[in-house]
Amino acid sequence: MCTEWQSWRTGEAGHELGHEAVGIVVDAAQSTRLKVGDRVIAMPHWGCGKCQACRSGEHIHCTEQRDLLAETGSSCGLGGYAQYLLKPDYLLYPVPDDISTDHAAMALCALGPSFTAIERMQVSAADTVLVSGCGAVGLGAIVNARTIGARVIALELNPYRIELARALGAERVLDPLAPNLVDQIRALTSGYGVDAAIETSNNEAAPPVVLELVRPRGRLSFVTWSGALPVNRITGKGLDIFGSWHWNHDRLGTQMMQRVRDARPLLDLLATHRFALDEVSEAFALQETGRCGKVLLYPNGGQS
């Protein structure tokens, strides 16, 4: 489960909920890549598979998304909160036998966006990484950074998520509203600032604050859709800026599967709650409180 609870909170109707899923192929149609019984990660969206973005594995950025309902004549099948899901085979990544279904599910929005951010920023064990916001994506960023040995400082207000961030390996979790936040970060980084930062909070006010916590010639990634940056500060600090929506399963699938293997103990902490599909309303209510990490939803009522 990802951000669908926000529509639930505002009362918006939706019959195609869910954009991240792991499942078993029950009908392979004419696919030559997959067969019935294969466990697969279903990547978000429905890229055309033909454009330059899709040919380079960046299906998430395809501007000509396929209309699968029109193609198949089905009235449903696009949402992951369901027993069955329609997907082009090139958007399905086989799950290795040694990785559990629950752990494979973490390769989607839990790890995926920040995996790309860390890869594009070339973060290493020598870096100090700031994670802004400790929702499920931010907590996944902590897991990604700690699994490769980087030092992590996080920003969060929710007490439950502060404790979970610490359990996942954040060295310090600071109040993002603290008036002396810049001074606190400088004190923790020899007066210089963090090497890299990942903004996940989706708070309109966060981007310019996070920018000031990064050292000169540092790196800043956004896994978010809100806020703005002052161009003069980007240029003045010489920062590299990245937008990271999801991960490239064609190019980086092997590396992601190894990240999942390496992170398994932390992933068990990150997935804090599990619900059956008919308990989805209770799951949404829990997510609204913020007292959870990643939440897993099981369409057949039981756990994997």
Side-chain angles (χ1 to χ4, degrees):
M1 300 182 70
C2 196
T3 57
E4 294 84 6
W5 67 271
Q6 296 174 3
S7 296
W8 168 85
R9 178 180 59 185
T10 59
E12 297 178 32
H15 66 283
E16 298 286 4
L17 294 172
H19 57 262
E20 51 177 325
V22 173
I24 299 171
V25 175
V26 296
D27 184 346
Q30 289 78 43
S31 176
T32 58
R33 296 182 61 248
L34 300 166
K35 64 183 184 303
V36 172
D38 286 347
R39 285 188 308 143
V40 292
I41 295 169
M43 299 298 288
H45 289 201
W46 307 273
C48 70
K50 300 176 181 179
C51 68
Q52 182 176 352
C54 287
R55 290 198 306 271
S56 62
E58 299 293 346
H59 303 86
I60 197 77
H61 297 294
C62 175
T63 58
E64 300 293 336
Q65 298 285 319
R66 292 172 64 174
D67 185 345
L68 296 191
L69 299 188
E71 290 182 33
T72 62
S74 178
S75 61
C76 59
L78 303 183
Y81 292 10
Q83 187 174 355
Y84 298 103
L85 176 68
L86 295 169
K87 277 288 176 180
D89 66 351
Y90 52 81
L91 293 178
L92 300 175
Y93 188 87
V95 178
D97 290 342
D98 66 324
I99 294 178
S100 73
T101 300
D102 282 10
H103 287 159
M106 298 296 101
L108 288 152
C109 293
L111 294 180
S114 58
F115 175 88
T116 297
I118 285 173
E119 188 261 343
R120 293 184 69 188
M121 292 193 296
Q122 299 182 1
V123 172
S124 73
D127 289 323
T128 295
V129 178
L130 178 85
V131 175
S132 170
C134 293
V137 173
L139 293 167
I142 295 173
V143 171
N144 270 313
R146 289 298 301 135
T147 301
I148 64 174
R151 178 193 184 203
V152 176
I153 300 170
L155 306 179
E156 179 55 49
L157 291 170
N158 183 292
Y160 181 96
R161 287 178 167 166
I162 289 173
E163 292 306 312
L164 186 51
R166 289 171 176 158
L168 291 172
E171 179 182 306
R172 297 287 297 275
V173 185
L174 306 178
D175 180 350
L177 301 180
N180 64 339
L181 182 59
V182 172
D183 293 335
Q184 290 186 65
I185 292 295
R186 288 177 177 169
L188 293 169
T189 57
S190 302
Y192 207 40
V194 299
D195 301 298
I198 305 175
E199 155 54 14
T200 75
S201 73
N202 209 39
N203 187 308
E204 288 278 351
V209 174
V210 175
L211 183 150
E212 295 303 330
L213 306 179
V214 180
R215 64 169 173 81
R217 293 297 291 128
R219 295 147 282 164
L220 175 54
S221 281
F222 290 91
V223 183
T224 181
W225 298 88
S226 299
L229 290 175
V231 173
N232 65 326
R233 293 301 292 146
I234 297 172
T235 304
K237 300 188 77 170
L239 299 185
D240 294 330
I241 306 292
F242 301 91
S244 300
W245 191 354
H246 222 274
W247 64 286
N248 186 317
H249 70 288
D250 285 351
R251 185 168 63 87
L252 297 171
T254 299
Q255 294 92 318
M256 173 61 90
M257 293 302 98
Q258 190 56 50
R259 178 64 49 79
V260 170
R261 292 185 185 97
D262 294 341
R264 279 184 277 215
L266 295 181
L267 297 180
D268 289 335
L269 294 176
L270 177 58
T272 58
H273 295 81
R274 293 164 169 80
F275 291 89
L277 182 59
D278 60 5
E279 298 172 323
V280 66
S281 185
E282 291 90 335
F284 282 151
L286 171 68
Q287 287 182 300
E288 186 181 27
T289 70
R291 294 184 58 81
C292 59
K294 195 64 177 174
V295 179
L296 301 182
L297 190 67
Y298 297 89
N300 294 310
Q303 298 182 10
S304 66

